[in-house]
């Protein structure tokens, strides 16, 4: 930037780095999507086209931003988890938030006609966003458990609410009054006894939301995906070492494989063990997949230890 007399205005720009060595979660939420869904004729209580479009935009964002390792979506919101060691945009809050929000929104608009070929956009949708930092793995797991539990609660209510309106002939005010103070068991019974709907048979997409995860491709697989740095490198001596995490290397570095243990010889003369031999390099590839599964229990996380690795 030219050093003119006007350059002093840069002093008013405040730095906004996010805390280092913490997990970043960016949650995007549709702005005024009640009106947007009504204007574009979304099916109630769930429009699978709209949910698939959200998944498409989120998956595109994960492919674009390699440091996003997990995303969870329900209705008109998506939460994105950045790996703990990310140095994307030097961890600048405003840069990460605005770029991810605008990219997600652009992907939503760009792919609209693929899912709604007979419904032109009447006005541009928008999403707001926030970034929250979390210090521990437990906090991250509890965050995503909270969002999935919220998905189930909201879907059970909405499924019953719209059944009362569409099949029971009630108004929205009457349906809200009918459901006021009811518990989950009551809603299940109401759906089955009055409308013949077995909630357990409803699509997992609606009950559990969308889990978009960066899966590691098994070495013997020929499927080609994206390149991902592992959370840590394990040396023969068992010491964890963090790879170079400069922005130009993130998501595309060559990764040394683990060196199998073997007996150490001693250098003649000085009695010191020899240096580790050069390590063979290999690439760890990943692919982004959309699942509709439980993330509250342990199984999902135990099967994917790389998600919460540093």
């Amino acid at each position: 930037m030219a050093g003119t007399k006007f350059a002093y205005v840069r002093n008013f720009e405040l730095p906004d780095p996010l805390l280092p060595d913490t997990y970043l979660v960016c949650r995007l939420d549709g702005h005024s999507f009640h009106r947007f869904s009504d204007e574009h004729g979304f099916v109630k209580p769930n429009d699978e086209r709209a949910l698939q479009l959200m998944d498409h935009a989120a998956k595109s964002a994960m492919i674009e931003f390699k440091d996003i390792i997990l995303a969870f979506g329900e209705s008109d919101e998506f939460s994105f988890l950045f790996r703990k060691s990310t140095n994307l945009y030097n961890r600048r809050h405003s840069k990460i938030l605005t770029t991810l929000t605008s990219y997600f929104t652009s992907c939503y608009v760009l792919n609209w006609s693929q899912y709604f070929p007979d419904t032109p956009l009447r006005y541009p949708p928008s999403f707001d966003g926030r970034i929250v930092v979390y210090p521990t793995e437990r906090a991250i797991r509890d965050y995503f458990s909270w969002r999935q539990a919220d998905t189930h609660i909201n879907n059970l209510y909405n499924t019953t609410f719209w059944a009362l309106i569409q099949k029971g002939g009630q108004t929205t005010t009457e349906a809200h009054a009918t459901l006021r103070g009811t518990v989950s068991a009551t809603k299940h019974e109401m759906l089955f006894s009055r409308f013949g709907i077995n909630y357990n048979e409803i699509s997992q997409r609606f009950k559990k939301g969308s889990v978009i995860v960066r899966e590691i491709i098994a070495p013997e697989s020929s499927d080609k995906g994206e390149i991902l740095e592992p959370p840590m490198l394990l040396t023969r001596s068992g010491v964890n070492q963090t790879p170079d995490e400069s922005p130009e290397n993130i998501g595309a570095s060559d990764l040394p494989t683990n060196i199998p243990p073997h007996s150490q010889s001693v250098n003649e003369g000085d009695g010191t063990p020899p240096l580790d031999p050069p390590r063979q390099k290999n690439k760890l590839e990943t692919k982004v997949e959309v699942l509709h599964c439980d993330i509250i229990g342990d199984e999902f996380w135990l099967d994917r230890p790389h998600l919460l690795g540093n």
Side-chain angles (χ1 to χ4, degrees), residues 200-214:
N200 293 326
E201 296 177 354
I202 289 177
S203 171
Q204 294 291 87
R205 175 191 290 276
F206 304 150
K207 295 187 295 184
K208 295 187 181 297
S210 293
V211 181
I212 307 183
V213 61
R214 199 176 293 277

Side-chain angles (χ1 to χ4, degrees), residues 43 46 60 84 117 125 136 142 150 182 187 222 225 227 249 253 256 260 276-277 296:
V43 177
N46 294 293
S60 297
K84 194 174 185 180
T136 64
D142 287 346
D150 187 71
T182 58
K187 296 182 181 73
S222 60
I227 299 172
N249 289 335
S253 64
D276 286 346
I296 297 177

Side-chain angles (χ1 to χ4, degrees), residues 33-272:
F33 254 59
H34 285 295
R35 175 188 167 223
F36 183 84
S37 62
D38 289 340
E39 288 279 351
H40 294 88
F42 283 14
V43 177
K44 307 293 185 179
N46 294 293
D47 193 314
E48 190 154 7
R49 301 167 302 170
L51 296 175
Q52 289 174 344
L53 175 56
M54 290 286 290
D55 291 350
H56 190 135
K59 186 174 180 179
S60 297
M62 286 188 66
I63 293 173
E64 177 70 17
F65 296 92
K66 301 298 189 293
D67 277 6
I68 299 176
I69 53 177
L70 178 68
F72 178 80
E74 60 157 322
S75 186
D76 62 343
E77 76 166 51
F78 247 100
S79 297
F80 297 91
L81 172 65
F82 288 82
R83 63 178 182 156
K84 194 174 185 180
S85 59
T86 183
N87 197 36
L88 179 66
Y89 302 133
N90 293 319
R91 296 179 74 96
R92 291 168 55 193
H93 181 283
S94 57
K95 185 83 169 182
I96 296 173
L97 180 59
T98 55
T99 306
L100 178 56
T101 305
S102 62
Y103 191 84
F104 180 91
T105 306
S106 298
C107 291
Y108 188 93
V109 173
L110 180 65
N111 294 286
W112 172 268
S113 60
Q114 180 178 336
Y115 297 93
F116 292 88
D118 301 321
T119 308
L121 273 172
R122 301 186 62 178
Y123 63 90
S126 60
F127 294 82
D128 59 58
R130 72 202 70 186
I131 294 179
V132 182
V133 297
Y134 292 97
T136 64
E137 295 180 13
R138 182 74 264 169
I140 287 297
R141 286 195 52 178
D142 287 346
Y143 172 84
F144 284 98
S145 295
W146 168 51
R147 299 320 304 141
Q148 188 165 70
D150 187 71
T151 302
H152 163 67
I153 293 170
N154 288 341
N155 186 67
L156 178 57
Y157 185 94
N158 289 333
T159 300
T160 314
F161 176 80
W162 285 103
L164 289 169
I165 295 173
Q166 296 170 347
K167 297 185 176 183
Q170 293 189 3
T171 65
T172 56
T173 302
E174 291 170 340
H176 280 304
T178 300
L179 294 175
R180 188 174 296 118
T182 58
V183 296
S184 294
T186 305
K187 296 182 181 73
H188 277 271
E189 176 61 25
M190 189 180 301
L191 284 172
F192 189 74
S193 62
R194 295 183 58 177
F195 307 113
I197 298 174
N198 185 343
Y199 185 77
N200 293 326
E201 296 177 354
I202 289 177
S203 171
Q204 294 291 87
R205 175 191 290 276
F206 304 150
K207 295 187 295 184
K208 295 187 181 297
S210 293
V211 181
I212 307 183
V213 61
R214 199 176 293 277
E215 299 275 32
I216 293 177
I217 300 174
E220 64 274 11
S221 172
S222 60
D223 188 11
K224 298 298 182 182
E226 301 167 276
I227 299 172
L228 173 71
E229 287 185 355
M232 58 185 67
L233 305 182
L234 184 62
T235 67
R236 176 165 53 81
S237 60
V239 178
N240 291 333
Q241 297 179 344
T242 304
D244 180 15
E245 292 171 356
S246 59
E248 64 271 19
N249 289 335
I250 287 177
S253 64
D254 289 337
L255 308 171
T257 58
N258 293 344
I259 301 176
H262 59 275
S263 60
Q264 287 187 340
S265 61
V266 177
N267 289 337
E268 295 181 1
D270 58 9
T272 59

Side-chain angles (χ1 to χ4, degrees), residues 287-302:
K287 57 183 176 181
V288 178
E289 291 192 342
V290 181
L291 309 174
H292 308 289
C293 63
D294 176 73
I295 57 174
I296 297 177
D298 293 333
E299 182 178 358
F300 174 84
W301 303 96
L302 292 176

